[in-house]
Amino acid sequence: MIEFILAFICSLVMIVMIHEGFHYGLARIFNRNPQIKINKYLQVSVVYKNNHNDLQNLVIACVGPLCLVCIGIFISGNNLFSLPAKIFCLANLINLFPVTADGEVIILSLLRMCKHEP
């Protein structure tokens, strides 16, 4: 049982780091001066300068959840580590909904892009 708990915690930490790493990497590529923040509840997030480029905001917000879902689809194996990792990767689908920070950026970027279309 202790092995499962350790695998669960390690998988969670690893997936969160990868998720935020994708955001950080793209924000850095787009010269947004990203910073990693950890609040008092140990919630990790990447904050970056908003230059009001909706396409870049959309890409930065989508990259973490979409890449992890793709990774989760291809994770195979029947061990203590792969099952929680697969679950956490696939659970990133939730981040595409507007009730999360990523989902909020996604929907706002899409709405602003549609609004600016001629």
Side-chain angles (χ1 to χ4, degrees), residues 20 33 37 53 70 87 117:
E20 297 303 330
N33 303 322
K37 300 285 185 179
N53 183 322
C70 290
I87 291 169
E117 287 290 319

Side-chain angles (χ1 to χ4, degrees), residues 2-5 19 21-22 28 39 49 59 66 72 79 81 83 94-95 110 113 118:
I2 190 75
E3 293 90 7
F4 179 75
I5 293 171
H19 175 104
F22 279 124
R28 191 169 173 109
N39 70 9
K49 180 182 162 197
V59 171
L66 290 179
N79 58 44
F81 181 74
L83 180 61
I94 295 168
N95 286 315
L110 288 172
M113 287 169 64

Side-chain angles (χ1 to χ4, degrees), residues 67-85:
C67 287
L68 282 171
V69 168
C70 290
I71 290 169
I73 289 170
F74 293 108
I75 290 177
S76 62
N78 245 358
N79 58 44
L80 285 175
F81 181 74
S82 63
L83 180 61

Side-chain angles (χ1 to χ4, degrees), residues 30-99:
F30 292 139
N31 294 317
R32 299 291 195 91
N33 303 322
Q35 296 178 349
I36 297 174
K37 300 285 185 179
I38 302 174
N39 70 9
K40 63 183 176 180
Y41 302 111
L42 300 178
Q43 178 186 6
V44 180
S45 62
V46 173
V47 294
Y48 51 88
K49 180 182 162 197
N50 185 359
N51 65 1
H52 304 288
N53 183 322
D54 294 320
L55 181 60
Q56 287 182 1
N57 289 341
L58 177 66
V59 171
I60 293 170
C62 285
V63 71
L66 290 179
C67 287
L68 282 171
V69 168
C70 290
I71 290 169
I73 289 170
F74 293 108
I75 290 177
S76 62
N78 245 358
N79 58 44
L80 285 175
F81 181 74
S82 63
L83 180 61
K86 185 175 187 86
I87 291 169
F88 289 135
C89 282
L90 295 176
N92 268 269
L93 278 173
I94 295 168
N95 286 315
L96 298 174
F97 293 106
V99 295

